Amino acid sequence: MTAAAGVGVSSSTDGSNTDVDRPILEVKDLRTYFFADAGVVRAVDGISLEINAGETLGIVGESGSGKTVSALSIMRLLEEPSRIVGGEVRFRGRDLVSMPEVQLRALRGEGLAMVFQDPMTSLNPVLRIARQLVETMQVHGNRTDAEALARAIALLGKMGIPTAERAVHNFPHQFSGGMRQRVMLAMGFSNDPALLIADEPTTALDVTVQAQILELLRRLNSELGTAILLISHDLGVIASVCKRVLVMYAGQVVEEGATDDLLSDPKHPYTWALLNATPRLDEATPENRHLTTIEGTPPDPMHWPTGCRFAERCPFKIDRCAEPPPLAIVGPGRKARCWVTQGGVRLPARGEPGAVVGGAAAVPEQSAEPAREKLLELRGLKKHFPVSAGGGSRGRGVVHAVDGVDLDVFKGETVGLVGES
């Protein structure tokens, strides 16, 4: 899905809005249900959010929490058996829920854009990149063929694709995963949208490419003033791009706040558990504990609990959790759906006593180093692939895929191999 028609939004170098703050997107009590044969799945069950012009907002939560369905509901891209059964979605004051499909298609091309999780399923494999980018701009009548092609090349260059003049004429399969995601970002920004929704745009990428994509999003937000709604299950990704965060669980928003505040002082046990389940490379993990795990599974969306939906997995639950808590103010710019923190209780910081539950386990002391039995031994392993060097039958090249690897694996060990694609 693409967008068009630029907006006059000024922004500071850190991506924050310096114009008059007014929501360009307002979502109030949005409810999206799936009417399946087995029953009604209440996937999104009453979320509200606002995004100002030029702002960066993140939505984080585990799979099945309702993040992607919320985004698709905003864009009106869901079909039967799903249905928006309640709430409002307003873009620049215009109601998207009741808007006729013809007007909605024009509006998507006017100010809204979306980048999906897997670029290979979003790009047509039999069409060259040039045609797909040019079509994105031409369908809204913004540019001539020559103008659209020139902008497509300029956008690919801005996205960091080398030799964009040649690359624009390639097919998607000739690009790496990171380059394909850059093409999708170019497509999303091709008509200068006021709001870009990015749904897990870095999930399948190497950490090095992921860092480049995130830096690109930050720069585009700063330079173009485009508001960004970033959806991810990765708190690190959210922290690196977004100024404000919503945490979703079981179809609801359970916490909201500025990114730094929320990550340093979570006000909902689910957010707290997510943070304590995240490995940290900048601090040593004590030898007597494991990372926190969230015991149990999310509740059935066909039969949400009548009380707090996180209560069965929560280490801090109290008797009042049998009642459904509201999303209430718990501090300046902070909201949480939790009776415990609404009562003034502070959740323990990482590493404090009581901060490790559910997956914590003491590591038994061993009196002596066990005998090391070697199970696997590699010495000088090589794997080369002959490939055509081009130019018809003139010569062949060799890809040195594995070029001299030594490796030992002993009984009882856990060995990790790390490296980019």
Side-chain angles (χ1 to χ4, degrees):
M1 196 54 55
T2 60
V7 293
V9 177
S10 60
S11 64
S12 61
T13 55
D14 65 358
S16 60
N17 181 35
T18 59
D19 205 342
V20 177
D21 285 332
R22 63 177 181 85
I24 61 169
L25 180 70
E26 299 173 272
V27 178
K28 296 181 181 179
D29 199 30
L30 177 65
R31 299 175 186 272
T32 301
Y33 296 172
F34 289 77
F35 294 86
D37 293 338
V40 179
V41 177
R42 294 184 287 165
V44 176
D45 204 24
I47 72 162
S48 299
L49 61 89
E50 292 183 350
I51 305 178
N52 291 319
E55 189 181 17
T56 51
L57 174 67
I59 299 181
V60 68
E62 62 189 306
S63 296
S65 61
K67 307 184 304 297
T68 296
V69 175
S70 298
L72 294 175
S73 299
I74 291 170
M75 297 289 293
R76 285 266 308 272
L77 291 176
L78 291 171
E79 298 180 349
E80 292 291 342
S82 65
R83 195 181 312 154
I84 297 176
V85 299
E88 298 180 4
V89 179
R90 293 187 176 276
F91 178 73
R92 290 175 167 169
R94 302 179 65 183
D95 183 7
L96 302 187
V97 174
S98 60
M99 183 176 292
E101 183 63 29
V102 173
Q103 295 181 25
L104 186 63
R105 283 200 299 267
L107 184 61
R108 290 192 193 114
E110 188 178 37
L112 288 165
M114 187 165 181
V115 175
F116 298 93
Q117 182 171 349
D118 184 358
M120 201 56 185
T121 61
S122 301
L123 293 169
N124 191 322
V126 300
L127 297 181
R128 298 182 188 273
I129 297 300
R131 178 173 175 182
Q132 299 185 59
L133 279 173
V134 167
E135 182 183 59
T136 301
M137 291 175 269
Q138 287 182 326
V139 72
H140 301 293
N142 293 326
R143 292 172 175 85
T144 65
D145 290 357
E147 291 172 342
L149 181 58
R151 178 162 173 77
I153 294 171
L155 280 169
L156 292 181
K158 184 182 285 289
M159 301 299 159
I161 293 181
T163 60
E165 296 83 357
R166 292 204 311 270
V168 75
H169 299 292
N170 288 344
F171 289 97
H173 73 269
Q174 294 175 280
F175 284 6
S176 67
M179 291 178 70
R180 286 195 290 266
Q181 194 61 279
R182 292 168 191 265
V183 171
M184 288 306 303
L185 286 170
M187 192 175 294
F189 281 100
S190 60
N191 291 300
D192 300 320
L195 173 65
L196 177 73
I197 300 176
D199 183 11
E200 302 273 13
T202 62
T203 297
L205 305 179
D206 297 324
V207 290
T208 50
V209 179
Q210 180 185 85
Q212 295 169 5
I213 295 296
L214 295 178
E215 176 58 32
L216 180 61
L217 284 173
R218 285 191 294 269
R219 181 163 55 83
L220 293 171
N221 168 250
S222 175
E223 293 178 359
L224 303 180
T226 303
I228 294 177
L229 176 60
L230 177 61
I231 297 171
S232 180
H233 63 271
D234 190 330
L235 286 168
V237 168
I238 294 293
S240 66
V241 175
C242 300
K243 299 296 181 183
R244 194 159 55 88
V245 184
L246 301 180
V247 181
M248 288 192 66
Y249 181 79
Q252 295 180 326
V253 175
V254 296
E255 185 167 357
E256 177 181 350
T259 304
D260 292 342
D261 295 339
L262 185 142
L263 296 183
S264 61
D265 183 21
K267 297 296 186 182
H268 193 280
Y270 177 62
T271 311
W272 175 89
L274 288 178
L275 290 168
N276 279 275
T278 304
R280 292 282 296 270
L281 298 180
D282 59 345
E283 65 180 30
T285 300
E287 294 183 358
N288 63 346
R289 76 170 182 89
H290 296 162
L291 289 170
T292 300
T293 59
I294 305 176
E295 294 295 335
T297 58
D300 183 356
M302 288 188 184
H303 307 284
W304 292 129
T306 56
C308 174
R309 296 182 182 181
F310 188 63
E312 290 302 315
R313 308 174 75 186
C314 180
F316 307 107
K317 67 179 178 181
I318 57 178
D319 292 342
R320 197 178 182 186
C321 295
E323 306 171 22
L327 184 65
I329 295 174
V330 291
R334 303 291 303 279
K335 292 182 181 180
R337 194 182 295 273
C338 177
W339 291 123
V340 175
T341 54
Q342 288 175 19
V345 175
R346 186 184 72 85
L347 303 181
R350 187 183 180 102
E352 284 184 3
V356 181
V357 296
V363 179
E365 294 184 0
Q366 297 178 340
S367 57
E369 181 75 15
R372 289 163 59 85
E373 177 186 347
K374 187 181 295 185
L375 299 179
L376 178 66
E377 180 178 355
L378 303 180
R379 292 292 180 269
L381 180 66
K382 297 183 179 182
K383 180 62 177 178
H384 298 170
F385 294 91
V387 296
S388 173
S393 61
R394 296 179 55 191
R396 296 175 66 83
V398 176
V399 174
H400 298 259
V402 179
D403 202 28
V405 171
D406 298 334
L407 174 66
D408 293 323
V409 179
F410 293 87
K411 185 176 181 179
E413 273 193 328
T414 302
V415 179
L417 295 178
V418 66
E420 58 188 329
S421 297

